Amino acid sequence: MHFKKKIIYSCEVWSTSTDLISLKYWSLLLPLFRSSTGLSTKIKRFTLLRSPLGNKASKDQFERREYKSYFFFKSENSSEILALLDILRYSSGVKSKILLKTAINV
């Protein structure tokens, strides 16, 4: 008995953006049946002096929010993975980390 080996491709994507709207638009480009997870929001607060000399009580406070999301995609067809990577290439304002894996099922 001869079994045919199937290669399964998986793609994991972590995305980060300081603009929540661009991250949501970016996720709309992806196929709807893919599972995605919103990750925690990282908030960085910092204070700057308004004047370099003298008045130490005069300060400006700023806040930067970084939104994150994660999704994964599995397929037996490598062209679907390549099409997904082509879509991810057009992300403006969204940083992404992509991890590709292959697995052989007997």
Side-chain angles (χ1 to χ4, degrees):
M1 193 181 245
H2 181 64
F3 293 105
K4 187 176 181 181
K5 295 181 181 179
K6 289 185 181 180
I7 298 175
I8 297 177
Y9 301 97
S10 67
C11 179
E12 297 181 41
V13 179
W14 291 268
S15 56
T16 305
S17 178
T18 56
D19 185 16
L20 183 60
I21 295 171
S22 67
L23 190 63
K24 286 184 178 183
Y25 284 147
W26 182 76
S27 66
L28 289 176
L29 292 173
L30 303 174
L32 295 176
F33 56 90
R34 305 298 171 233
S35 59
S36 72
T37 304
L39 299 176
S40 62
T41 301
K42 184 178 179 182
I43 301 173
K44 183 177 181 179
R45 293 184 179 102
F46 52 96
T47 304
L48 297 176
L49 294 175
R50 284 188 183 171
S51 115
L53 304 171
N55 194 0
K56 299 287 184 181
S58 176
K59 299 177 182 178
D60 282 332
Q61 292 184 338
F62 298 96
E63 178 177 285
R64 179 180 172 195
R65 293 177 180 251
E66 199 169 81
Y67 304 97
K68 299 178 183 180
S69 67
Y70 165 80
F71 77 94
F72 67 94
F73 176 75
K74 290 184 180 182
S75 176
E76 293 178 2
N77 192 353
S78 63
S79 63
E80 290 180 2
I81 298 288
L82 292 174
L84 177 71
L85 293 176
D86 189 44
I87 291 171
L88 295 178
R89 188 176 65 172
Y90 296 111
S91 58
S92 63
V94 178
K95 294 187 288 184
S96 57
K97 177 183 173 184
I98 301 169
L99 179 65
L100 294 171
K101 295 180 185 178
T102 58
I104 299 174
N105 287 348
V106 180

